[in-house]
Amino acid sequence: MKIGYFPGCSLHATAREYAESLGVITGPLDVEINEIDDWACCGATSAHATNHLLGVALPARTLALAAEQGHEQILAPCAACYSRLAAARRAVDNDPATGAAVEKAIGRSVGTARPISLVRLLAELAPKVREKAKRPLEDIKVACYYGCLLVRPPELNDLDDVEAPTMMETVVKATGAKPVSWNRRLDCCGGGFSLSRTSSVVRLSRTILEDARGAGADVLVVACPMCHSNLDFRQKAIARRSEGGMDIPVIYLSQLVGLALGQDHVALGLGRHFVSTASFISRIPGPREGESAAATEVG
Amino acid sequence: MARIGVFVCHCGENIGRTVDCEAVANACGELPGVVHAVDYKYMCSDPGQNLIKEAIAEKNLTGVVVAACSPHMHEKTFRKATEGAGLNPYLCEMTNIREQCSWIHEDRDAATAKAIDLTRFISEKIKRNSPLAPISISLERRALVIGGGISGLQAALDMADGGREVVLVEKQPSIGGHMSRLSETFPTLDCSQCILTPRMVEVHQHPRIKLLTYSEIESVDGYIGNFSVKIRKKARGVDETRCNGCGECQSVCPMKKIPSEFDAGLGNRTAIYVPFPQAVPNIPVIDRENCLRIKGMQKKKAKAACGRCAEACGRDAIDFEQEDTFVTEKVGAIVVATGYQLYSIGKEQTRKGITGYGEYGYGTVPDVIDGMQFERIASASGPSGGEIVRPSDGKVPKRVVFLQCIGSREPSKGIEYCSKLCCMYVAKHTMLYRHKVHDGEAIVFYMDIRAGGKGYDEFVRRAIEEDGAKYIRGRVSSIQREGEKVRLTGFDTLSGEQMEIDADMVVLATAMQAQPGIESLAQKLSVSYDGHGFINEAHPKLRPVDTNTAGVFVAGACQAPRDIPDSVAMASATASKVLGMFSKERLEREPTVAGVDKVTCSGCFHCERACPYGAVERYEVLNRSGEVEKVIAEVNEGVCQGCGSCQVACPSKSIELEGFTDAQIFAAINAL
Amino acid sequence: MSIPESAAPATLAGEVRRKTGLNPATCYQCGKCSAGCPMAVETSLRPHDVLRMLQFDDREQLLSSESIWLCLTCETCTARCPNSCDPARIIDCLRETALNEGAAQPPRNIRAFHNAFLKQIQRSGRLFEMGLIMSYKMRSGALFADVMAAPGMLGRGKLALAPSRIQGLEEIRRIFDACTRHESDSTSTTTAQQNPGTEGAENA
């Protein structure tokens, strides 16, 4: 399977462990990802909150490049990037006036490439994950956190259900780990207010972390760099305002899959988190006998 | 020689504002064959009609043209007046200068010219009209009622008490419908079963009601007065003539954990079962999906599985081999009373375009139930014997939150209409709850309270003022499990506060929907239905219980969401319609039907394919020695609706609609 | 019979309808949006208040309200709205309109963030997070917030030290210009001062 790959800005910087883990798991899962040449930022919240057309045109350029470079599908691991690409796709497909304005602005034909989120891709590959899993994660309790942009708005939902999605849980079950049942998996973490209104992010992320902890989760799994940064990087600040402290590792879904596939935790970027993953990793037994973890050089 | 009278109506200002009626009358007075032309303010009034009658007598008219509103409004009026003056009523025609002229134009001169054209058009047609007489058709004075809920029972009883035979078909094993499952009823809090079961027994014992339960309509043929209905009697697995309802079979059945449909899944039943103790008839049915014996037979197992009920039956009534049978009933009128289903809150939907509420956790968060489940919990005949307990752990809930408008008025889930009775049953639920749990708290989230009806608003006020229900105007965003509690995140739009409430139980007041499969029944009956599957009435105000097919009537919640009083009123209305129709020996109908020229018809049967009503039949022309010479078309005057499709399709011009012959139509067109 | 659009007075609701195809009159004020809004405890206007004020054309208060800038666009309101009013899209549209009319009063921090973000993209085509943080701090005046985080980020290899520029930078700038022009054309009263696109273009 060959698909286009739109890393977005985060996967080249603050979420580089997301990119690293993705690079490590695609091989065993027989997926070839090709980074779109000369992609630009999707504009994120800032573009669509201030200029609607700009919020569509920037991601539409990426769709156009993907099509020009021969891709039918573009993997956008970042939930925010996925959402913007999907919004552009929809705007161009459903509204001829916007479509024309966009093509005029970008000076290209948008083409027909469609974005896919990492959660959907992995859910579709779940049988393969199960088949290739080398390391039993049976004792690991996982809180799957979807956040907003993978499921909302409903017309851009890439998953099975807006209010009761199950795709992340499907992937987690394929790794052998146990998804816990909890309430806040669709709540907002504060998203793009990370820098500009940290107090809101702390308030919202705290309720999410506390609920996950209350449900007995060992680890919180995410598929969005923004959520990750709010829940991991801000966790220390949150813990200060929370009773009984807070110590929940927050990892990417691709990292959990990588662990199950027997990949080395350094290669998966598990050492890059602010909340230490060491105690959680130490609880996972090594690969089953006769098999060795494929260590990859850390970039 | 034609002597036509033209009568131009002002309809007050309706026509007169845009059309110069006097000018129309003057112009028409000059038309060939027109000997009399006048205008008048209200032609439909008594003085107006008298103008027509006097002119017929004085001018010896051979045709009357009334230029006024749509014939749908007043054709009958003017034809009666014409008949009253001794002229055949079919020699009177209307031309529509209101809906098709004055209402849709602004330019007075152009509208007046058009009104003249329209009138000239009809006055040329009417010169070729011939006198017609109403057609008389035979009438089977028995009725069929489809559906054995409160609407069907009421319609059947009223017609049977009126002296006519009734066939009542119910698809469930027992009659009683949804009403038999309710605890108490608003606004009087009578026990639902206490007022319903006497009706059920009365139907069962009535000498003129033939009751067919566990049966469905297979096909419908015929027309008003002469329907022939094929009914499928589903295999019950129990011989109704032998069973005495002792219940031994149920007590020995090993399948004891099947969720009971009657108890909305809160209680259990066996595989051979009577749905509820007061069921009519009190004869069990075998659930073929769950019976071990029948499942074994289907898998063709050599050794017979189970069969304990048959062993226990002292009357040899159990028959595993029984198959569906068919009966055909001849009836003159049909009452459709198939009722409703409740909206499904979860993912599973029976109708296209409808979605559930993932955000309310129904089916995943314990103790989130729907209104019918609360009815069963509150009902003395229910699984908890009427004690208010929550399903998860049997504890008495101390705080119950009721949410209104679940599915109703929610276009984003696929239903935009108001289900009308949820406001009332929620108020009732809060009362029942507070009457039984004195220290309990009842909280209601509502958008609007719609309590129009006798004693209805007073009832809601009583729930609030006397029984202490707390009403919050707003909706709930999500429902989640929080330990042993159910947590709701809502908003009070009156105080402007976001609120989080931890409840012990949540009751969702779900919308009413049309029955699944209603479309296929409607198609069998040739009646129309709306986008939601509710049967359409013939006119929303003036013909609320007629359908667009003559002889088929509609009662209760299959037409729109209806409560019990509305359903009963509608049912009695259908009975009165049917009894009125049955008061005559034969039916009279409009003579505007198609007829075949037996000489020129070549028997190609294009007309048969063109007819949407199946009115064209085959007629064998015999020669003198009694052999079939040719097969030609013949129109069944009872079925023909006078649409004219056959006339257009006929290549040899051998089939014509009375009152709309080619000669009439072409003469009219040539006049323009 | 409905009132033809040409006959409708020029209201803010009418403007929103033209731009988004959404009719604010469809809101029946059930409050489900505000029930699930994660920011409702912090804002003076909740989603249903915004719709209510649109229905009564309270233009000044709406466009100058801080609340529209506190929307996270988490879309919970839109996902659960029973009448498909799409409050999130409407709030987006209000922010845009406020910017174009120069009526916007976004909190300094949020405006600074959006400006810094878009300027980054205009300069290099991609986000250079270190640059974003510095630029944001200059614009917001929040010079010392999160300062301690940088060493942690660097230590974990999470911050690039130099921006990466894409080849098609000219193209990106053209897109910014085209979109800014498009917005100005579709708005009656335009003061471009606060439009981040324009500002970026001047600085570039």
Side-chain angles (χ1 to χ4, degrees), chain B residues 194-267:
Chain B
C194 308
I195 56 176
L196 176 71
T197 47
R199 292 288 166 100
M200 290 163 62
V201 173
E202 209 182 322
V203 163
H204 194 39
Q205 293 174 341
H206 206 292
R208 280 186 292 278
I209 296 179
K210 180 172 175 185
L211 183 57
L212 297 172
T213 54
Y214 210 50
S215 301
E216 288 184 40
I217 304 300
E218 189 72 11
S219 63
V220 181
D221 286 322
Y223 49 93
I224 180 170
N226 296 280
F227 293 106
S228 171
V229 184
K230 191 173 171 192
I231 299 159
R232 174 192 292 268
K233 291 189 72 183
K234 294 179 282 186
R236 216 180 175 105
V238 176
D239 185 336
E240 292 174 49
T241 57
R242 290 170 184 257
C243 175
N244 65 355
C246 70
E248 270 302 306
C249 51
Q250 294 183 74
S251 60
V252 299
C253 178
M255 298 294 290
K256 297 202 188 297
K257 293 274 178 199
I258 303 164
S260 154
E261 294 83 0
F262 187 79
D263 279 335
L266 294 173

Side-chain angles (χ1 to χ4, degrees), chain B residues 429-483:
Chain B
H429 285 172
T430 66
M431 282 181 174
L432 296 178
Y433 170 65
R434 292 274 296 144
H435 292 174
K436 288 184 172 171
V437 184
H438 299 297
D439 59 344
E441 191 184 5
I443 298 172
V444 179
F445 276 91
Y446 72 100
M447 291 207 289
D448 300 287
I449 297 176
R450 296 181 169 177
K454 191 171 179 179
Y456 281 18
D457 200 57
E458 297 91 314
F459 183 78
V460 176
R461 293 311 308 168
R462 209 173 102 205
I464 296 169
E465 292 164 14
E466 302 302 324
D467 294 312
K470 290 177 185 152
Y471 273 63
I472 299 171
R473 195 205 169 275
R475 274 185 98 129
V476 166
S477 176
S478 62
I479 298 177
Q480 289 160 335
R481 182 177 202 173
E482 193 66 37

Side-chain angles (χ1 to χ4, degrees), chain A residues 122-135:
Chain A
L122 287 178
E124 285 169 4
L125 293 170
K128 192 154 251 174
V129 171
R130 181 169 288 126
E131 174 197 321
K132 298 268 171 97
K134 293 181 175 167
R135 215 184 236 172

Side-chain angles (χ1 to χ4, degrees), chain C residues 150-173:
Chain C
M153 287 279 187
L154 285 169
R156 287 169 173 80
K158 283 181 166 243
L159 285 181
L161 287 170
S164 65
R165 281 173 200 269
I166 67 164
Q167 304 286 314
L169 212 49
E170 259 316 300
E171 201 182 329
I172 299 298
R173 288 181 186 150

Side-chain angles (χ1 to χ4, degrees), chain C residues 140-158:
Chain C
S140 68
L143 288 173
F144 299 103
D146 284 332
V147 161
M148 297 312 288
M153 287 279 187
L154 285 169
R156 287 169 173 80
K158 283 181 166 243

